[in-house]
Amino acid sequence: MNYLDTLKHPVIARLSIIQLLSYFGNWFSQVAIFSMLVAYQADAVTIALTAAMSMLPAVILAPLIGIVIDRIAFKPLMTSLLVVEIAMTLSLVFINSLEYVWVLMILIFIRSSAASVLFSAEMSLFPKILQGEMLKNTNEIHSIIWSLSYASGMAVGGVVTHYLGYDTAFIIDALLYMVAVAILSRLKLTLQRAVHTDSNWKMIKEGFAYLKSRKKIIHLILLHAGIGLTSFDALITLLADYRYKEIIAVPLAIGIMNAIRALGLVAGPFFIGKIISKKNLHYFFFLQAASIVFWGTQEPHFYAALLSLFITGFFITTLWSYTYLLVQEEIEAQYMGRVISYNDMFFMLSNVVTALFIGFFSKWGLSLQHITFALGGGFVLVAFYYLWFKKHYL
C-alpha cells in the first residue's frame, strides 16, 4: 500500500487537507513572529522563551488534554480548537512593541494549547480507525504534510513578512484557518466513542496507573522525546540575527533556512521510510547526530549551511513518525487519548528544554556552533539508549 492508496480513505484525505492548511498557516506566521522580535531588538532569552511558549501547553496541560480527547467527540472538538486559533492569530496584529511581549507570549500559549489538543486528538483518532500499514503510512503522510507546510510556510512567510509586513502575515494565517473550518464542516466520521462515567480525577489517575504499569511504553515515549533535540527555531533565528543579517534580511534568512531544512524533511521519508525498522533504527539516530554536527561545521558559511540544513532535515521526519508509530502500537484503545497526550507532553518538554538550552547558553557566551555540536551529541546518547531498549524489550 502506497501513500496514494492511503489518501483514498475519505477521512484521511479530508484531515490531510485540513492539516496542510493549518500547519502552513502556523509556520507562515511563525516567521512573522520571530522577525518581529528581532526588529524589536529582543534578546536571545526572549526569543528562546517565545519559542518555548509554543511548546509549553503540551507539557503542562497533558493530563487535561487526554481527558478532553477521551470525553469529547472529535469533530466538534476540532471545530472549536480551530476557532480559538483564528481568534488568537488575529489578536497578534495588536503587538506593536517589545513592551507587549508578555501579551504575545499569552496569545502564543493559548493558540498553541488549541493546536496541542488538535494534534493529540488526530493522533489518537488514527489508531482507532486504521491499523498496520495503513496507520504507518498515515503517520508518514502526516509528517510529510507537516514538513511540506513547514518548508512552504517558512519560505512564503519570509517573503510576505519582508515585503508586506507582520500584520498581513497574521491576517493571511487566520484566513487559512477559516478555510480549514469550512472543510472540516463536511467531514463525515462514524466512530463509536467510548463512554466514560468516571470523574476527571479518576480518569487522570487511571491514565497514570496504566502508563506506570507499561514500562515498554514509557521507554518508547522517552525515545520519541529525543527527536525534540531537533527543535532548532531559536537557533536558526539567532543565526539569522548574529551571523547572516549582513548577507540577507533577517525574515528572508529565517524563511529560507527553515524552508531548505524542511525540504529535507519532505524528501527523507520517500527514501528511508520503507527501510527503517526496529532492527536498524539506531543507525538512523547516529546519522541524525552526524548530520547535526556537520551543520555545525558549516554554520560560518551561509550557503554551505543551507546544504547541511537539508541533510539535517533528511532523517527527522521518518524518525519522528516511526517512533510515534511504536508508541501507538502499544496502547490499548480506551487509554489512547490520555497516553498519546503524555507522549506529546514528553516530546514538547524535550523541545522546550532544547529551546531554553539554546537561548540561555547563547546568552552565557557559548557559541552557536558549539551549541549545535551539543545537540548532535544528544542524538548519540539517544542511539545508545535505543540499543539498550532493543536488547531488553524487543
Side-chain angles (χ1 to χ4, degrees):
M1 179 178 293
N2 57 35
Y3 294 149
L4 290 178
D5 294 329
T6 304
L7 285 171
K8 290 178 182 178
H9 191 293
V11 174
I12 302 307
R14 192 166 290 272
L15 286 179
S16 295
I17 295 172
I18 294 170
Q19 288 167 355
L20 182 63
L21 289 168
S22 59
Y23 289 163
F24 176 89
N26 180 69
W27 295 118
F28 182 90
S29 61
Q30 192 86 331
V31 177
I33 290 171
F34 284 109
S35 299
M36 183 171 64
L37 288 173
V38 171
Y40 295 159
Q41 299 183 332
D43 60 19
V45 172
T46 301
I47 291 172
L49 286 173
T50 304
M53 197 59 62
S54 64
M55 308 163 195
L56 272 178
V59 177
I60 63 179
L61 300 179
L64 296 178
I65 289 174
I67 291 175
V68 168
I69 292 170
D70 284 339
R71 282 193 182 278
I72 302 178
F74 177 80
K75 185 175 177 179
L77 174 62
M78 195 170 180
T79 302
S80 301
L81 295 171
L82 287 171
V83 170
V84 170
E85 293 194 74
I86 292 169
M88 293 303 103
T89 301
L90 287 175
S91 299
L92 292 172
V93 302
F94 298 107
I95 308 300
N96 56 16
S97 74
L98 201 60
E99 179 183 354
Y100 299 104
V101 70
W102 63 274
V103 179
L104 173 66
M105 291 188 181
I106 291 173
L107 294 175
I108 291 173
F109 182 87
I110 296 173
R111 185 173 84 156
S112 298
S113 297
S116 296
V117 179
L118 190 150
F119 172 79
S120 294
E122 288 182 328
M123 300 309 288
S124 299
L125 172 69
F126 294 149
K128 296 176 183 178
I129 62 176
L130 306 171
Q131 292 180 342
E133 191 71 15
M134 192 80 165
L135 177 58
K136 179 178 180 293
N137 283 355
T138 300
N139 279 352
E140 291 178 356
I141 289 170
H142 183 97
S143 299
I144 291 169
I145 289 173
W146 186 94
S147 305
L148 182 62
S149 302
Y150 191 98
S152 55
M154 285 288 187
V156 177
V159 173
V160 170
T161 299
H162 180 67
Y163 290 105
L164 300 180
Y166 317 122
D167 291 352
T168 301
F170 298 143
I171 292 171
I172 292 173
D173 186 5
L175 290 173
L176 291 171
Y177 282 122
M178 292 178 189
V179 175
V181 171
I183 294 173
L184 178 64
S185 66
R186 300 179 63 85
L187 175 68
K188 296 180 180 179
L189 179 64
T190 303
L191 182 67
Q192 185 175 357
R193 188 161 53 92
V195 177
H196 296 278
T197 57
D198 295 330
S199 67
N200 291 340
W201 177 241
K202 186 173 181 181
M203 287 184 67
I204 290 175
K205 290 195 295 183
E206 285 180 348
F208 274 118
Y210 174 79
L211 186 58
K212 185 178 178 181
S213 67
R214 304 296 194 277
K215 288 186 169 54
K216 184 177 181 181
I217 297 178
I218 293 174
H219 288 301
L220 288 171
I221 286 174
L222 293 176
L223 280 166
H224 180 71
I227 313 302
L229 290 168
T230 60
S231 179
F232 298 144
D233 290 344
L235 181 56
I236 285 175
T237 301
L238 293 173
L239 283 168
D241 188 23
Y242 294 172
R243 284 191 178 273
Y244 307 138
K245 64 183 176 183
E246 302 300 328
I247 302 174
I248 187 172
V250 169
L252 294 178
I254 295 173
I256 291 172
M257 291 167 69
N258 280 305
I260 293 297
R261 172 183 173 233
L263 288 176
L265 295 174
V266 173
F270 291 98
F271 292 92
I272 61 177
K274 299 301 180 183
I275 62 175
I276 194 169
S277 68
K278 295 176 183 178
K279 294 181 179 180
N280 61 21
L281 179 58
H282 55 285
Y283 291 120
F284 292 97
F285 283 127
F286 282 123
L287 287 170
Q288 182 67 79
S291 68
I292 294 173
V293 171
F294 177 65
W295 174 36
T297 65
Q298 302 304 307
E299 281 176 356
H301 316 288
F302 178 67
Y303 296 104
L306 291 180
L307 174 61
S308 59
L309 265 173
F310 175 86
I311 299 171
T312 298
F314 195 78
F315 306 99
I316 297 174
T317 300
T318 305
L319 286 173
W320 181 90
S321 62
Y322 190 74
T323 53
Y324 212 116
L325 174 67
L326 295 180
V327 175
Q328 288 172 318
E329 288 178 335
E330 296 293 329
I331 306 171
E332 296 177 29
Q334 64 267 36
Y335 297 101
M336 188 66 68
R338 281 164 284 179
V339 177
I340 285 294
S341 68
Y342 298 143
N343 178 61
D344 296 339
M345 175 185 73
F346 278 98
F347 176 73
M348 285 301 180
L349 180 60
S350 175
N351 280 261
V352 169
V353 171
T354 300
L356 295 178
F357 168 79
I358 292 168
F360 279 101
F361 275 84
S362 174
K363 183 178 181 179
W364 293 337
L366 188 65
S367 71
L368 297 179
Q369 192 171 42
H370 285 99
I371 289 173
T372 308
F373 291 155
L375 297 177
F379 266 100
V380 174
L381 297 179
V382 174
F384 281 113
Y385 180 37
Y386 179 73
L387 286 171
W388 174 87
F389 170 82
K390 186 169 70 167
K391 179 179 179 181
H392 289 83
Y393 289 93
L394 299 183

